[in-house]
Amino acid sequence: MQRKAWDLPFLAEPSGVAALRRIVRTHLTLWGLSDVVEAAQICVTELVANVITHVGLGTPTTMAVDMNGTYLRIAISDPDSRALPTLLSATTTAESGRGLALVAAVTDRWGVIPTERGKTTWCEIATELRRNDTHVDRPQVHRAEALLTLYGQPLLRMSPTSPLSHAVAEETAIALIADLLHWFRAHGQDPDTALDRAQTHFESELGAVG
């Protein structure tokens, strides 16, 4: 699976945090990384809040998300190189310091990099991936791959990491879905209804996993 790095410029404002959290959830779900969605959303919330508090409301900011090996990496860049985030020993009565403590608690590592245009605060979260170009091991995925192999494509004779094998598997999956829709129609069932039910089932399983 290709997990292409992406970035998003935005203005650091409290009203925009919810949208950033939704965008992160959508991308990580598409990447098959629903297990780290909650930790990623916490990082986005706290790192953006740190920009708002210490740099200023409405600061031009950029969020970048990519993979560093099997780790999910989230980076928040802003134009102020002076206000460097510091992990404080926040007490129960402290009004600041909790945000980075929370980031440190839900990530495996984090840091700050001064840049020519300001600074970048980054964090990395371990995933369940064995390699960054594969998928998370789940029973549903293994059942699907076994079914695709039985469906007639010689996937086992190809390298499982080659671009060709991924392309063949994708085309096989699409052909299988199309044939199943023909099966529903041949038995007097509405294919659209079947797709809706399958989508509902899929989303409920994603919610259970995430």
Side-chain angles (χ1 to χ4, degrees), residues 19-41:
L20 294 174
R21 288 170 59 91
R22 287 194 298 271
I23 291 170
V24 166
R25 171 179 286 279
T26 298
H27 275 82
L28 296 188
T29 300
L30 291 173
W31 281 3
L33 299 178
S34 56
D35 57 302
V36 297
V37 165
E38 183 176 358
Q41 288 181 320

Side-chain angles (χ1 to χ4, degrees), residues 15 67 76 101 198:
S15 59
M67 298 297 299
I76 302 294

Side-chain angles (χ1 to χ4, degrees), residues 8-122:
L8 177 68
F10 64 95
L11 298 181
E13 298 177 345
S15 59
V17 173
L20 294 174
R21 288 170 59 91
R22 287 194 298 271
I23 291 170
V24 166
R25 171 179 286 279
T26 298
H27 275 82
L28 296 188
T29 300
L30 291 173
W31 281 3
L33 299 178
S34 56
D35 57 302
V36 297
V37 165
E38 183 176 358
Q41 288 181 320
I42 289 173
C43 293
V44 170
T45 299
E46 299 304 331
L47 294 181
V48 174
N50 198 70
V51 173
I52 295 172
T53 301
H54 298 288
V55 182
L57 185 66
T59 298
T61 310
T62 300
M63 175 174 65
V65 180
D66 64 354
M67 298 297 299
N68 181 16
T70 60
Y71 287 83
L72 173 71
R73 182 182 178 91
I74 298 173
I76 302 294
S77 301
D78 68 71
D80 192 340
S81 60
R82 298 168 300 172
L84 297 180
T86 303
L87 180 60
L88 303 177
S89 178
T91 64
T92 55
T93 58
E95 295 183 358
S96 63
R98 295 182 183 179
L100 288 179
L102 190 54
V103 169
V106 301
T107 65
D108 292 84
R109 46 193 179 236
W110 73 277
V112 184
I113 304 173
T115 66
E116 294 182 355
R117 298 183 178 182
K119 67 176 178 296
T120 296
T121 307
W122 60 269

Side-chain angles (χ1 to χ4, degrees), residues 172-208:
T172 303
I174 292 172
L176 175 57
I177 293 170
D179 283 353
L180 288 172
L181 295 178
H182 282 293
W183 182 89
F184 276 104
R185 183 176 182 182
H187 286 76
Q189 303 296 321
D190 181 11
D192 289 335
T193 300
L195 282 175
D196 290 340
R197 291 175 59 189
Q199 182 71 22
T200 300
H201 195 171
F202 171 70
E203 291 175 352
S204 66
E205 288 185 340
L206 280 184

Side-chain angles (χ1 to χ4, degrees), residues 134-157:
T134 59
H135 57 74
V136 176
D137 285 334
R138 295 216 170 91
Q140 299 94 327
V141 178
H142 288 296
R143 290 198 300 268
E145 289 184 338
L147 181 59
L148 291 175
T149 301
L150 291 173
Y151 197 64
Q153 294 293 344
L155 299 181
L156 293 180
R157 294 199 291 270

